[in-house]
């Protein structure tokens, strides 16, 4: 019998305080987004804005009496001691770096929600048996250094520290130099001592929960992800004098690849769940009257079943070669991110479900379409996620991303309950 007692879950977080903390962090890196007319968030990993956001959160951690450590890839861990300091901690976490057109919930809800759980425990003067850690990981988005979950993948030993440090952004700046520039090249070892369990609260970032009108997503796992970076090289030429049959136009090759991706999705050969995105195409020299000589493009392909994704990639990569030959260009491609589908720990899923039920919240099991730090943590300890619905079809990676105070509070309250139960479990 562990020290857990249903009465302990009578605690509830302060929804106003949580929401105010989301607004506070959301003001750092705020920008006016022309296309939507809204205020968005832009805190690309390891930029000055990310550094300011990090310092803001670290200050909040210290104000709560947490012991803060920064590791060598810039992951930040804030520890609240438990009754048994030798017991493995229960960790909550996520990320505070963002894409360039973000809202204020993606990642931040999991980190600030973790701090709100700590505040609630502090206010109630509750000391759990196990220590509690709130973490944020470096470059979860992969939007600047082009591989996602970078910090948590290093913590979970999927990516070597040196490999992570040497990743560069488009300006050729390395992760290591940028960590140093913002003062977060920590000295704590990156090898994470596996926590007892890991729980992450996150906005769904999609339409499913809101459309089903449910309060909580019990996340069963994360779909498989593959990112490619293509460099297509042809020959620049005069747009007016060069006959079409003499051209070696990488722009045509890029367009054919984009259309082929859509044809693969629409074919149904890979079920209706295959998702393919070309997020970046950069033409050089990028002039109205010059046939381009180089196109850089990215491909993001995902599927809930890695075996199906593998088959899709097995068709796509040979198409790169086919287009290269037919368009007389060179297509180089490199894999910049590749993670299989993962399942979260049944025990953590069950806790999320039971505590949603216990609070009278409606819930639905769901596979995450987005990648998360939790999928890296799942490799080292029992991990799980609590999803909250989003308004406007759950749009995300867009300043219109929005979840109500109540939606956020519901998710963080369930995380509070789950963490408190895990933190009373016996054993090391
Ligand atoms: O791309 C993703 O799925 C996540 O937002 N990093
Ligand atoms: Mn996220
Ligand atoms: Mn994201």
């Amino acid at each position: 019998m562990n020290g857990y007692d249903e009465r302990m879950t009578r605690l509830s977080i302060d929804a106003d305080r949580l929401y105010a903390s989301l607004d506070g962090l959301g003001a750092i890196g705020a920008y006016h987004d022309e296309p939507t007319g809204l205020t968005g968030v832009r805190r690309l990993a390891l930029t000055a804005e990310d550094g300011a956001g990090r310092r803001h959160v670290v200050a909040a951690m210290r104000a709560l009496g947490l012991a803060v450590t920064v590791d060598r890839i810039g992951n930040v861990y804030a520890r609240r001691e438990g009754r048994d300091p030798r017991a493995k901690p229960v960790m909550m976490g996520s990320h505070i770096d963002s894409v360039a057109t973000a809202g204020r919930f993606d990642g931040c809800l999991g980190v600030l929600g973790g701090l709100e759980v700590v505040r609630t425990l502090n206010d109630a003067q509750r000391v759990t048996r196990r220590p509690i850690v709130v973490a944020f990981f470096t470059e979860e988005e992969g939007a600047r250094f082009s591989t996602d979950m970078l910090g948590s993948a290093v913590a979970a030993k999927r990516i070597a520290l040196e490999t992570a440090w040497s990743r560069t952004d488009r300006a050729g700046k390395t992760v290591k130099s940028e960590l140093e520039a913002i003062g977060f090249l920590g000295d704590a070892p990156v090898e994470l001592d596996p926590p007892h369990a890991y729980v992450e609260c996150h906005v769904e970032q999609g339409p499913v929960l809101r459309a089903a009108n449910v309060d909580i997503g019990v996340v069963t796992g994360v779909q498989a992800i593959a990112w490619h970076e293509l460099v297509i090289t042809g020959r620049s030429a005069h747009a007016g004098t060069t006959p079409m049959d003499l051209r070696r136009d990488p722009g045509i090759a890029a367009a054919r690849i984009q259309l082929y991706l859509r044809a693969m999705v629409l074919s149904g050969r890979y079920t209706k769940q295959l998702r393919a995105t070309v997020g970046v195409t950069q033409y050089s020299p990028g002039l109205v009257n010059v046939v381009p000589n180089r196109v850089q493009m990215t491909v993001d392909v995902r599927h809930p079943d890695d075996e199906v994704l593998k088959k899709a990639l097995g068709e796509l990569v040979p198409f790169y070669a086919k287009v290269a030959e037919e368009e007389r260009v060179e297509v180089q491609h490199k894999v910049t991110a590749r993670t299989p589908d993962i399942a979260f720990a049944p025990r953590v899923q069950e806790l999320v479900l039971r505590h949603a039920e216990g609070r009278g919240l409606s819930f639905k099991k769901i596979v995450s379409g987005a990648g998360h730090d939790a999928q890296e943590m799942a490799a080292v300890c029992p991990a799980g996620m609590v999803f909250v619905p989003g308004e406007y079809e759950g749009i995300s990676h867009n300043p219109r991303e929005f979840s109500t105070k109540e939606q956020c509070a519901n998710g963080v309250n369930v995380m509070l309950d789950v963490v408190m139960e895990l933190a009373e479990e016996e054993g090391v």
Side-chain angles (χ1 to χ4, degrees):
M1 175 61 187
N2 65 32
Y4 180 72
D5 168 331
E6 281 296 326
R7 286 191 301 277
M8 287 181 84
T9 62
R10 289 296 163 266
L11 296 182
S12 283
I13 61 127
D14 179 326
D16 293 330
R17 190 169 58 186
L18 169 68
Y19 221 55
S21 69
L22 286 162
D23 289 341
L25 181 53
I28 299 173
Y31 77 100
H32 175 70
D33 183 71
E34 275 308 318
T36 60
L38 299 170
T39 298
V41 172
R42 179 171 293 152
R43 281 198 310 270
L44 286 166
L46 309 186
T47 55
E49 294 76 11
D50 184 31
R54 285 165 165 261
R55 283 186 291 280
H56 174 85
V57 174
V58 166
M61 290 169 159
R62 292 203 164 109
L64 287 169
L66 301 177
V68 177
T69 51
V70 182
D71 76 9
R72 300 174 74 200
I73 192 63
N75 295 328
V76 174
Y77 300 97
R79 180 183 171 103
R80 181 182 198 260
E81 275 315 329
R83 299 191 305 274
D84 180 354
R86 288 156 310 150
K88 284 181 179 289
V90 174
M91 186 180 288
M92 293 172 281
S94 195
H95 63 96
I96 60 170
D97 65 286
S98 80
V99 294
T101 55
R104 62 189 189 284
F105 301 91
D106 179 358
C108 302
L109 179 61
V111 179
L112 299 179
L115 293 184
E116 179 53 34
V117 165
V118 167
R119 271 190 205 94
T120 305
L121 293 173
N122 286 355
D123 292 350
Q125 293 169 340
R126 284 283 172 79
V127 181
T128 51
R129 172 178 175 258
R130 294 178 177 278
I132 286 177
V133 171
V134 180
F136 62 80
F137 298 101
T138 296
E139 177 64 313
E140 184 278 343
E141 293 292 1
R144 181 177 176 196
F145 295 97
S146 66
T147 195
D148 53 357
M149 284 80 77
L150 186 70
S152 48
V154 170
K157 300 192 184 75
R158 177 170 67 85
I159 295 179
L161 175 61
E162 298 293 339
T163 307
W165 270 351
S166 60
R167 294 204 68 84
T168 56
D169 67 0
R170 285 183 204 154
K173 293 188 175 173
T174 65
V175 163
K176 186 172 187 180
S177 69
E178 295 302 276
L179 278 169
E180 212 148 24
I182 63 166
F184 275 89
L185 179 61
D187 46 22
V190 291
E191 294 73 22
L192 181 66
D193 191 8
H196 175 64
Y198 174 89
V199 188
E200 180 168 349
C201 182
H202 203 289
V203 286
E204 177 204 339
Q205 300 181 287
V208 173
L209 297 179
R210 189 66 186 81
N213 210 14
V214 295
D215 302 315
I216 297 292
V218 180
V219 192
T220 56
V222 179
Q223 71 175 339
I225 302 173
W227 288 1
H228 290 169
E229 216 162 74
L230 307 185
V231 177
I232 308 173
T233 314
R235 184 182 60 187
S236 65
H238 195 296
T241 57
T242 314
M244 296 308 279
D245 62 348
L246 293 186
R247 296 183 182 201
R248 293 172 42 213
D249 185 346
I252 299 291
R256 287 187 58 186
I257 289 168
Q258 171 127 36
L259 289 173
Y260 192 79
L261 281 165
R262 190 168 71 160
M264 282 174 64
V265 171
L266 296 179
S267 73
R269 284 195 297 278
Y270 304 103
T271 79
K272 287 197 170 32
Q273 294 170 296
L274 184 70
R275 291 186 181 150
T277 312
V278 173
V280 178
T281 42
Q282 255 174 327
Y283 284 60
S284 314
L287 300 172
V288 62
N289 57 353
V290 179
V291 176
N293 58 18
R294 188 168 187 267
V295 173
Q296 280 177 282
M297 73 188 276
T298 61
V299 173
D300 174 324
V301 193
R302 308 194 193 197
H303 194 281
D305 180 343
D306 200 42
E307 291 312 309
V308 176
L309 180 58
K310 278 180 194 157
K311 287 198 184 82
L313 295 171
E315 176 180 341
L316 177 62
V317 172
F319 182 73
Y320 295 158
K322 181 172 183 295
V323 163
E325 192 189 339
E326 290 172 359
E327 300 300 335
R328 297 182 303 131
V329 295
E330 187 195 31
V331 177
Q332 292 168 315
H333 94 277
K334 66 177 176 180
V335 178
T336 50
R338 184 70 178 91
T339 43
D341 56 293
I342 66 103
F344 285 129
R347 181 158 64 91
V348 181
Q349 290 186 47
E350 188 276 328
L351 283 170
V352 171
L353 188 154
R354 177 155 51 82
H355 286 295
E357 227 166 22
R359 282 186 178 263
L361 298 171
S362 56
F363 58 85
K364 176 182 177 61
K365 291 201 169 190
I366 184 171
V367 173
S368 176
H372 297 288
D373 294 309
Q375 71 188 85
E376 299 299 334
M377 290 297 110
V380 298
C381 71
M385 295 187 78
V386 182
F387 267 4
V388 305
E391 300 301 306
Y392 314 113
E393 289 89 45
I395 191 167
S396 183
H397 288 189
N398 181 307
R400 192 166 294 283
E401 178 186 77
F402 181 77
S403 293
T404 66
K405 186 188 302 181
E406 191 195 4
Q407 287 167 338
C408 292
N410 286 339
V412 176
N413 270 326
V414 170
M415 181 163 73
L416 165 69
D417 296 346
V418 171
V419 164
M420 285 184 73
E421 181 157 353
L422 287 166
E424 293 305 324
E425 288 184 337
E426 293 302 324
V428 290

